[in-house]
Amino acid sequence: MVRQQIELLPRTRENAELYFYKTQDEEICAVLPSANKTVEEALTAYDKASLPDATSFGRSIYWEGRYIGDIWCYCINRDETPNAMLSYCIFEKEYWGRGMATAAVKLFLGQIRERLSLRSVGAFTYANNESSIRVLEKNGFVCKERFVEDGRESAYYERNF
């Protein structure tokens, strides 16, 4: 089973830098918007996420000891619904379509529910990103809304614990 070889380990500055460069790939950029336009911005965001009062929490995804992606939640606020937003990316393309993201999301949801006492999580994806939609639905997310933003159809999913 894939889940048994997936590990979610603490992120490091080195991971954050490598993640930034790996996700500059044209195919990844087409399905994963990024707020960070430079490696310096990515490292600043990592530093902010490492502070005790951070409103985000992330892990690096490893498969058999190899760093293959990241998963995180952001906008953490237990007084709002959802309590946080989820994002993830497997940047090593040879692992796409092999269940890695599905397994990582499943593990991560268990961790954030326990660690952060969350009751609900939301996620956005582009409406044509069928792989991401399958990952979300396999992990119990339900589509709540489809909308067009910046000329692109997107979908909002939510999961309650």
Side-chain angles (χ1 to χ4, degrees):
M1 179 178 279
V2 170
R3 186 176 75 233
Q4 294 172 335
Q5 286 109 12
I6 288 282
E7 288 184 282
L8 301 181
L9 301 177
R11 293 185 77 225
T12 65
R13 277 187 124 250
E14 292 78 18
N15 290 134
E17 184 173 1
L18 181 59
Y19 179 86
F20 175 81
Y21 288 119
K22 290 282 193 171
T23 57
Q24 298 310 296
D25 176 90
E26 185 178 317
E27 200 172 356
I28 293 173
C29 287
V31 294
L32 182 71
S34 176
N36 301 314
K37 302 302 180 206
T38 66
V39 69
E40 291 78 16
E41 289 176 3
L43 292 172
T44 298
Y46 167 81
D47 290 339
K48 289 171 83 173
S50 301
L51 297 173
D53 62 342
T55 58
S56 63
F57 172 75
R59 288 288 187 240
S60 290
I61 304 168
Y62 284 80
W63 166 258
E64 296 183 342
R66 181 176 179 197
Y67 175 45
I68 64 168
D70 278 357
I71 187 166
W72 63 97
C73 58
Y74 59 97
C75 296
I76 300 169
N77 185 335
R78 287 165 206 79
D79 296 328
E80 293 185 11
T81 300
N83 299 147
M85 298 300 295
L86 174 73
S87 194
Y88 51 88
C89 177
I90 303 294
F91 56 69
E92 295 294 355
K93 294 182 199 176
E94 67 262 31
Y95 295 103
W96 287 6
R98 295 178 51 192
M100 306 298 173
T102 299
V105 168
K106 183 175 184 174
L107 283 174
F108 190 69
L109 289 174
Q111 288 182 6
I112 62 172
R113 180 179 182 201
E114 183 178 314
R115 179 186 179 118
L116 304 173
S117 302
L118 301 182
R119 296 177 310 282
S120 61
V121 179
F124 290 103
T125 188
Y126 291 128
N128 67 344
N129 189 344
E130 295 174 13
S131 296
S132 187
I133 289 169
R134 277 194 307 277
V135 167
L136 293 170
E137 289 177 348
K138 285 180 180 180
N139 278 287
F141 283 79
V142 175
C143 185
K144 297 290 189 175
E145 178 183 6
R146 285 185 175 260
F147 57 95
V148 175
E149 184 175 60
D150 297 328
R152 188 147 184 203
E153 186 178 3
S154 296
Y156 170 69
Y157 281 76
E158 198 169 283
R159 183 189 195 281
N160 294 316
F161 292 109

